[in-house]
Amino acid sequence: MELKNVVRALRRHWLVVLLLFVVVVVTGSLMAYLPPDRYQAKAMILVQPNPEKAQINPQIIGIVVPSLLAQTDSTSFRDRALAPLPADLRSASVKVSAADTSGSGVLEIRASSTRRDVVAPWATAMAKQLVLEPIGQGFVTLAVLDEARPPTTPYAPARRPVVVSSVFLAMIIATLGGIAMAAYRQRVDEVDEIRSRFGTTVLGEVPTFRGLNRQKRGMMGAGEAPPEVVEALQGLRTNVEFLLADRPVCSLAIVSATSGEGKSTISVALAWALASVGIEVTAIDADLRRPVLHKHFDGKLTPGVSSVGKFQVEALLQSTALPSLTFLSAGLPDRHPAEILRSNLPGVLKSLTDRQKTVVIDCPPLVGLAETTFVTSLASSVILVVDRQSHDLVDVERALAMLHDHGADVLGVVINRTRRKLPKSDYYDATVRRPEARTPERPMPRKPEPSRPQPTR
């Protein structure tokens, strides 16, 4: 993600960024200041070979020291060491550890506690008792090298580093939160984002639909697609007609940044929707690498665009179920697709526009293909199709910039496979629902009135 996009996301969602920053800093401060202060004191013991016995190997220290360290963990040893201390000090909660820090026989006895007055007496008492223990007697000598001194400041918790770390962590989390919020809002308000950021019209949003084969996907007006999809495509047709009201004859290039975004389906559906209101439309498959229009229209792959020159354009057009809609398939390329399109497509477009045809061109993807920008430059208008489920605004921006750099007139953007909530299908069905036939109501039979008794004379 580019730096300018990050800055834009932080500015737009500054409230979320500020809230995350405050929450993380407050949490870090509580972790730093809520735990009580802990104090530590240490006493040092020197372990040396017995000087009265010169024949003793100095390596004996490495054998005796582990036993001395293990002795400090013994409960009985601790009771003997703390016996001289007052009861108040003995009952304190103190953590004691011993270690050979230098590796040369200098032992450290460390005592830590939340009470400052107990750590030094505990460490000193443990060190003195360890000197009196019979471990290694005759082989080594033990001496208290330094008694423990009462601490003046706590050693834990390290409040300043925790607070500083929490500030840096808060900055990272707040930035990621702003980016995530921008990504979420991008998915929700992508129409407004595209309009405000790129100044481009969103021509329509086509919902996701499945269960139709290629032929039925192309014939959206035949009643095979879900009603909301048909309505979305009819709205797309209306918007295109409105923007092209002053262009009775035009050519529309339908393109996407990458493959798999549904540009071919939109091309066929738009051509069908335009032809369904009586406009003379010809759909051209300019994607010679992966042609699919002939499958949508249940036609033939060849002859097609690659066969122009060998046949007249009129002879290459194939009919569809709509009399006002024809299509020109891709054909089988005999050389590079860019060379075929550069030599054949201008003549095809001129021939069709001279016959007052509205042309819908299914283009190859923009990224990585040489012929796409040439095709879009020939068309009078370009429609960019983006996949709602996989697109990124950075990709949309690059695609639009590429089109503008090559002189394309971008009519707008179509968002495909959208998940935006649409009105219920019952509402659409109500416009075409036939009134149910009602059977004439039969008159309810009257109950016979009870006979009144006649008066006697």
Side-chain angles (χ1 to χ4, degrees):
M1 193 173 187
E2 297 181 0
L3 180 60
K4 62 179 182 180
N5 295 331
V6 175
V7 174
R8 184 183 295 111
L10 297 181
R11 287 181 177 178
R12 183 174 183 181
H13 306 287
W14 64 270
L15 187 60
V16 175
V17 173
L18 179 61
L19 180 62
L20 289 174
F21 181 83
V22 171
V23 169
V24 176
V25 170
V26 170
T27 303
S29 301
L30 292 177
M31 294 176 60
Y33 287 94
L34 284 182
D37 294 336
R38 294 192 64 87
Y39 298 90
Q40 181 176 268
K42 64 179 179 179
M44 304 185 69
I45 300 175
L46 180 61
V47 183
Q48 292 180 315
N50 193 345
E52 297 179 356
K53 297 182 178 181
Q55 69 276 13
I56 295 179
N57 193 332
Q59 295 181 355
I60 192 64
I61 296 177
I63 301 175
V64 175
V65 166
S67 301
L68 295 173
L69 297 179
Q71 184 71 3
T72 59
D73 295 331
S74 172
T75 304
S76 59
F77 169 79
R78 183 169 300 186
D79 293 339
R80 293 193 301 271
L82 300 179
L85 299 181
D88 179 55
L89 298 183
R90 292 199 306 269
S91 61
S93 176
V94 182
K95 182 179 179 181
V96 179
S97 62
D100 183 9
T101 57
S102 63
S104 58
V106 179
L107 307 183
E108 282 188 358
I109 307 296
R110 293 179 179 269
S112 61
S113 175
T114 56
R115 291 179 54 180
R116 182 170 56 180
D117 59 327
V118 302
V119 291
W122 270 61
T124 300
M126 299 281 285
K128 289 180 179 180
Q129 183 62 35
L130 193 61
V131 171
L132 299 177
E133 293 296 308
I135 298 176
Q137 189 174 8
F139 297 96
V140 296
T141 59
L142 282 74
V144 177
L145 188 61
D146 191 7
E147 293 187 359
R149 299 178 181 179
T152 57
T153 58
Y155 83 99
R159 292 189 171 91
R160 181 175 296 178
V162 171
V163 173
V164 172
S165 301
S166 66
V167 171
F168 282 103
L169 181 62
M171 295 172 62
I172 296 174
I173 293 179
T175 302
L176 294 178
I179 295 174
M181 193 66 185
Y184 172 76
R185 296 302 301 175
Q186 170 186 325
R187 295 298 184 183
V188 176
D189 297 335
E190 57 191 2
V191 175
D192 297 334
E193 185 74 15
I194 290 175
R195 288 172 179 166
S196 61
R197 182 171 172 180
F198 308 125
T200 303
T201 303
V202 177
L203 299 174
E205 297 177 81
V206 181
T208 302
F209 62 96
R210 298 180 178 87
L212 299 179
N213 55 32
R214 291 185 184 273
Q215 291 81 4
K216 292 182 179 180
R217 285 187 183 183
M219 302 174 185
M220 294 300 174
E224 300 289 349
E228 58 270 21
V229 177
V230 176
E231 291 293 331
L233 293 172
Q234 294 298 326
L236 171 61
R237 183 205 67 195
T238 302
N239 292 333
V240 171
E241 284 182 317
F242 177 78
L243 294 175
L244 299 178
D246 57 341
R247 308 178 193 177
V249 179
C250 64
S251 54
L252 296 173
I254 314 299
V255 69
S256 61
T258 58
S259 61
E261 299 194 59
K263 62 174 180 58
S264 298
T265 301
I266 298 298
S267 300
V268 177
L270 180 59
W272 183 276
L274 291 172
S276 64
V277 293
I279 301 175
E280 293 290 331
V281 180
T282 296
I284 299 178
D285 195 345
D287 190 353
L288 305 187
R289 301 171 189 264
R290 293 183 180 179
V292 294
L293 255 61
H294 65 285
K295 297 180 181 179
H296 283 281
F297 289 123
D298 196 18
K300 298 179 180 179
L301 172 61
T302 185
V305 176
S306 60
S307 306
V308 174
K310 302 176 184 177
F311 303 91
Q312 295 294 327
V313 175
E314 293 78 4
L316 298 175
L317 299 181
Q318 301 183 48
S319 61
T320 65
L322 281 177
S324 58
L325 176 61
T326 57
F327 78 97
L328 178 60
S329 61
L332 295 175
D334 54 357
R335 57 189 188 276
H336 195 278
E339 298 179 5
I340 296 176
L341 293 173
R342 186 172 292 274
S343 60
N344 296 353
L345 190 58
V348 172
L349 292 178
K350 185 177 185 306
S351 174
L352 294 175
T353 53
D354 288 345
R355 297 173 57 192
Q356 303 297 308
K357 290 274 191 177
T358 297
V359 182
V360 177
I361 309 172
D362 181 24
C363 299
L366 272 171
V367 178
L369 300 181
E371 64 269 21
T372 308
T373 53
F374 172 74
V375 177
T376 56
S377 65
L378 291 178
S380 57
S381 298
V382 178
I383 296 177
L384 178 64
V385 177
V386 296
D387 187 352
R388 165 68 173 79
Q389 301 179 16
S390 62
H391 84 278
D392 188 271
L393 286 182
V394 176
D395 299 331
V396 177
E397 183 177 15
R398 291 174 180 170
L400 291 173
M402 188 181 301
L403 291 172
H404 288 308
D405 291 343
H406 289 82
D409 178 19
V410 180
L411 192 65
V413 174
V414 174
I415 301 175
N416 193 27
R417 303 189 182 108
T418 183
R419 292 181 180 177
R420 185 181 296 272
K421 290 184 178 180
L422 297 174
K424 295 181 179 180
S425 59
D426 293 344
Y427 185 83
Y428 298 111
D429 295 340
T431 60
V432 296
R433 188 182 298 157
R434 295 180 179 178
E436 297 179 358
R438 295 184 178 179
T439 57
E441 296 182 358
R442 297 179 180 178
M444 296 294 292
R446 291 186 178 182
K447 295 182 180 180
E449 295 182 359
S451 59
R452 298 180 180 180
Q454 298 293 329
T456 58
R457 294 181 181 179

PDB file of all heavy atoms in Angstrom, residues 229-246:
ATOM      1  N   VAL A 229     -30.672  -9.420 -11.164  1.00  0.00           N
ATOM      2  CA  VAL A 229     -29.590  -9.302 -12.143  1.00  0.00           C
ATOM      3  C   VAL A 229     -30.099  -8.622 -13.410  1.00  0.00           C
ATOM      4  O   VAL A 229     -29.436  -7.751 -13.984  1.00  0.00           O
ATOM      5  CB  VAL A 229     -29.011 -10.693 -12.461  1.00  0.00           C
ATOM      6  CG1 VAL A 229     -27.938 -10.594 -13.536  1.00  0.00           C
ATOM      7  CG2 VAL A 229     -28.439 -11.324 -11.203  1.00  0.00           C
ATOM      8  N   VAL A 230     -31.284  -9.010 -13.862  1.00  0.00           N
ATOM      9  CA  VAL A 230     -31.874  -8.387 -15.045  1.00  0.00           C
ATOM     10  C   VAL A 230     -32.074  -6.893 -14.807  1.00  0.00           C
ATOM     11  O   VAL A 230     -31.777  -6.065 -15.672  1.00  0.00           O
ATOM     12  CB  VAL A 230     -33.197  -9.077 -15.396  1.00  0.00           C
ATOM     13  CG1 VAL A 230     -33.867  -8.366 -16.568  1.00  0.00           C
ATOM     14  CG2 VAL A 230     -32.953 -10.544 -15.741  1.00  0.00           C
ATOM     15  N   GLU A 231     -32.566  -6.535 -13.626  1.00  0.00           N
ATOM     16  CA  GLU A 231     -32.780  -5.120 -13.319  1.00  0.00           C
ATOM     17  C   GLU A 231     -31.468  -4.357 -13.321  1.00  0.00           C
ATOM     18  O   GLU A 231     -31.399  -3.214 -13.794  1.00  0.00           O
ATOM     19  CB  GLU A 231     -33.470  -4.983 -11.958  1.00  0.00           C
ATOM     20  CG  GLU A 231     -34.904  -5.456 -11.938  1.00  0.00           C
ATOM     21  CD  GLU A 231     -35.811  -4.578 -12.789  1.00  0.00           C
ATOM     22  OE1 GLU A 231     -35.519  -3.380 -12.926  1.00  0.00           O
ATOM     23  OE2 GLU A 231     -36.805  -5.099 -13.319  1.00  0.00           O
ATOM     24  N   ALA A 232     -30.407  -4.965 -12.762  1.00  0.00           N
ATOM     25  CA  ALA A 232     -29.105  -4.298 -12.739  1.00  0.00           C
ATOM     26  C   ALA A 232     -28.583  -4.070 -14.147  1.00  0.00           C
ATOM     27  O   ALA A 232     -28.036  -2.996 -14.458  1.00  0.00           O
ATOM     28  CB  ALA A 232     -28.111  -5.128 -11.923  1.00  0.00           C
ATOM     29  N   LEU A 233     -28.753  -5.050 -15.033  1.00  0.00           N
ATOM     30  CA  LEU A 233     -28.277  -4.904 -16.402  1.00  0.00           C
ATOM     31  C   LEU A 233     -29.133  -3.913 -17.195  1.00  0.00           C
ATOM     32  O   LEU A 233     -28.616  -3.174 -18.035  1.00  0.00           O
ATOM     33  CB  LEU A 233     -28.263  -6.258 -17.091  1.00  0.00           C
ATOM     34  CG  LEU A 233     -27.229  -7.237 -16.521  1.00  0.00           C
ATOM     35  CD1 LEU A 233     -27.413  -8.616 -17.113  1.00  0.00           C
ATOM     36  CD2 LEU A 233     -25.814  -6.732 -16.784  1.00  0.00           C
ATOM     37  N   GLN A 234     -30.430  -3.885 -16.919  1.00  0.00           N
ATOM     38  CA  GLN A 234     -31.260  -2.882 -17.569  1.00  0.00           C
ATOM     39  C   GLN A 234     -30.885  -1.469 -17.099  1.00  0.00           C
ATOM     40  O   GLN A 234     -30.907  -0.518 -17.883  1.00  0.00           O
ATOM     41  CB  GLN A 234     -32.741  -3.161 -17.271  1.00  0.00           C
ATOM     42  CG  GLN A 234     -33.271  -4.463 -17.870  1.00  0.00           C
ATOM     43  CD  GLN A 234     -33.203  -4.468 -19.386  1.00  0.00           C
ATOM     44  OE1 GLN A 234     -33.365  -3.440 -20.040  1.00  0.00           O
ATOM     45  NE2 GLN A 234     -32.967  -5.637 -19.972  1.00  0.00           N
ATOM     46  N   GLY A 235     -30.540  -1.350 -15.811  1.00  0.00           N
ATOM     47  CA  GLY A 235     -30.057  -0.053 -15.332  1.00  0.00           C
ATOM     48  C   GLY A 235     -28.740   0.340 -15.975  1.00  0.00           C
ATOM     49  O   GLY A 235     -28.518   1.522 -16.291  1.00  0.00           O
ATOM     50  N   LEU A 236     -27.864  -0.646 -16.185  1.00  0.00           N
ATOM     51  CA  LEU A 236     -26.608  -0.380 -16.892  1.00  0.00           C
ATOM     52  C   LEU A 236     -26.882   0.098 -18.307  1.00  0.00           C
ATOM     53  O   LEU A 236     -26.273   1.064 -18.785  1.00  0.00           O
ATOM     54  CB  LEU A 236     -25.754  -1.653 -16.901  1.00  0.00           C
ATOM     55  CG  LEU A 236     -24.509  -1.635 -17.774  1.00  0.00           C
ATOM     56  CD1 LEU A 236     -23.542  -0.553 -17.320  1.00  0.00           C
ATOM     57  CD2 LEU A 236     -23.829  -3.008 -17.750  1.00  0.00           C
ATOM     58  N   ARG A 237     -27.798  -0.563 -18.994  1.00  0.00           N
ATOM     59  CA  ARG A 237     -28.149  -0.140 -20.355  1.00  0.00           C
ATOM     60  C   ARG A 237     -28.701   1.286 -20.365  1.00  0.00           C
ATOM     61  O   ARG A 237     -28.344   2.102 -21.221  1.00  0.00           O
ATOM     62  CB  ARG A 237     -29.186  -1.097 -20.935  1.00  0.00           C
ATOM     63  CG  ARG A 237     -29.576  -0.779 -22.377  1.00  0.00           C
ATOM     64  CD  ARG A 237     -30.951  -1.306 -22.701  1.00  0.00           C
ATOM     65  NE  ARG A 237     -31.972  -0.586 -21.938  1.00  0.00           N
ATOM     66  CZ  ARG A 237     -33.217  -1.008 -21.799  1.00  0.00           C
ATOM     67  NH1 ARG A 237     -33.600  -2.150 -22.318  1.00  0.00           N
ATOM     68  NH2 ARG A 237     -34.085  -0.287 -21.106  1.00  0.00           N
ATOM     69  N   THR A 238     -29.563   1.613 -19.389  1.00  0.00           N
ATOM     70  CA  THR A 238     -30.142   2.954 -19.338  1.00  0.00           C
ATOM     71  C   THR A 238     -29.059   4.003 -19.139  1.00  0.00           C
ATOM     72  O   THR A 238     -29.068   5.062 -19.785  1.00  0.00           O
ATOM     73  CB  THR A 238     -31.171   3.033 -18.198  1.00  0.00           C
ATOM     74  OG1 THR A 238     -32.183   2.047 -18.414  1.00  0.00           O
ATOM     75  CG2 THR A 238     -31.803   4.402 -18.129  1.00  0.00           C
ATOM     76  N   ASN A 239     -28.117   3.740 -18.234  1.00  0.00           N
ATOM     77  CA  ASN A 239     -27.043   4.695 -17.990  1.00  0.00           C
ATOM     78  C   ASN A 239     -26.165   4.875 -19.221  1.00  0.00           C
ATOM     79  O   ASN A 239     -25.753   5.995 -19.549  1.00  0.00           O
ATOM     80  CB  ASN A 239     -26.196   4.234 -16.807  1.00  0.00           C
ATOM     81  CG  ASN A 239     -26.954   4.287 -15.497  1.00  0.00           C
ATOM     82  OD1 ASN A 239     -27.883   5.079 -15.343  1.00  0.00           O
ATOM     83  ND2 ASN A 239     -26.565   3.446 -14.551  1.00  0.00           N
ATOM     84  N   VAL A 240     -25.870   3.771 -19.908  1.00  0.00           N
ATOM     85  CA  VAL A 240     -25.054   3.868 -21.120  1.00  0.00           C
ATOM     86  C   VAL A 240     -25.795   4.659 -22.198  1.00  0.00           C
ATOM     87  O   VAL A 240     -25.223   5.514 -22.882  1.00  0.00           O
ATOM     88  CB  VAL A 240     -24.675   2.454 -21.614  1.00  0.00           C
ATOM     89  CG1 VAL A 240     -24.014   2.526 -22.985  1.00  0.00           C
ATOM     90  CG2 VAL A 240     -23.739   1.781 -20.615  1.00  0.00           C
ATOM     91  N   GLU A 241     -27.082   4.373 -22.364  1.00  0.00           N
ATOM     92  CA  GLU A 241     -27.868   5.111 -23.363  1.00  0.00           C
ATOM     93  C   GLU A 241     -27.913   6.607 -23.036  1.00  0.00           C
ATOM     94  O   GLU A 241     -27.826   7.444 -23.939  1.00  0.00           O
ATOM     95  CB  GLU A 241     -29.292   4.561 -23.407  1.00  0.00           C
ATOM     96  CG  GLU A 241     -29.420   3.227 -24.121  1.00  0.00           C
ATOM     97  CD  GLU A 241     -30.857   2.756 -24.185  1.00  0.00           C
ATOM     98  OE1 GLU A 241     -31.564   2.871 -23.169  1.00  0.00           O
ATOM     99  OE2 GLU A 241     -31.272   2.289 -25.254  1.00  0.00           O
ATOM    100  N   PHE A 242     -28.039   6.945 -21.773  1.00  0.00           N
ATOM    101  CA  PHE A 242     -28.101   8.346 -21.380  1.00  0.00           C
ATOM    102  C   PHE A 242     -26.790   9.062 -21.687  1.00  0.00           C
ATOM    103  O   PHE A 242     -26.785  10.190 -22.207  1.00  0.00           O
ATOM    104  CB  PHE A 242     -28.429   8.452 -19.893  1.00  0.00           C
ATOM    105  CG  PHE A 242     -28.440   9.858 -19.377  1.00  0.00           C
ATOM    106  CD1 PHE A 242     -29.519  10.699 -19.619  1.00  0.00           C
ATOM    107  CD2 PHE A 242     -27.361  10.353 -18.654  1.00  0.00           C
ATOM    108  CE1 PHE A 242     -29.525  12.004 -19.150  1.00  0.00           C
ATOM    109  CE2 PHE A 242     -27.363  11.649 -18.183  1.00  0.00           C
ATOM    110  CZ  PHE A 242     -28.453  12.489 -18.430  1.00  0.00           C
ATOM    111  N   LEU A 243     -25.664   8.407 -21.367  1.00  0.00           N
ATOM    112  CA  LEU A 243     -24.373   9.043 -21.609  1.00  0.00           C
ATOM    113  C   LEU A 243     -24.024   9.101 -23.090  1.00  0.00           C
ATOM    114  O   LEU A 243     -23.210   9.935 -23.502  1.00  0.00           O
ATOM    115  CB  LEU A 243     -23.273   8.287 -20.843  1.00  0.00           C
ATOM    116  CG  LEU A 243     -23.364   8.348 -19.312  1.00  0.00           C
ATOM    117  CD1 LEU A 243     -22.301   7.466 -18.681  1.00  0.00           C
ATOM    118  CD2 LEU A 243     -23.206   9.790 -18.825  1.00  0.00           C
ATOM    119  N   LEU A 244     -24.619   8.219 -23.885  1.00  0.00           N
ATOM    120  CA  LEU A 244     -24.319   8.184 -25.322  1.00  0.00           C
ATOM    121  C   LEU A 244     -25.488   8.721 -26.151  1.00  0.00           C
ATOM    122  O   LEU A 244     -25.630   8.384 -27.321  1.00  0.00           O
ATOM    123  CB  LEU A 244     -23.999   6.756 -25.760  1.00  0.00           C
ATOM    124  CG  LEU A 244     -22.785   6.103 -25.091  1.00  0.00           C
ATOM    125  CD1 LEU A 244     -22.622   4.672 -25.579  1.00  0.00           C
ATOM    126  CD2 LEU A 244     -21.522   6.910 -25.357  1.00  0.00           C
ATOM    127  N   ALA A 245     -26.309   9.556 -25.520  1.00  0.00           N
ATOM    128  CA  ALA A 245     -27.481  10.073 -26.235  1.00  0.00           C
ATOM    129  C   ALA A 245     -27.092  10.898 -27.448  1.00  0.00           C
ATOM    130  O   ALA A 245     -27.803  10.926 -28.456  1.00  0.00           O
ATOM    131  CB  ALA A 245     -28.341  10.900 -25.284  1.00  0.00           C
ATOM    132  N   ASP A 246     -25.963  11.586 -27.386  1.00  0.00           N
ATOM    133  CA  ASP A 246     -25.532  12.419 -28.501  1.00  0.00           C
ATOM    134  C   ASP A 246     -24.654  11.653 -29.494  1.00  0.00           C
ATOM    135  O   ASP A 246     -24.076  12.252 -30.395  1.00  0.00           O
ATOM    136  CB  ASP A 246     -24.772  13.637 -27.982  1.00  0.00           C
ATOM    137  CG  ASP A 246     -23.570  13.250 -27.132  1.00  0.00           C
ATOM    138  OD1 ASP A 246     -23.540  12.091 -26.653  1.00  0.00           O
ATOM    139  OD2 ASP A 246     -22.679  14.097 -26.943  1.00  0.00           O
TER     140      ASP A 246
END
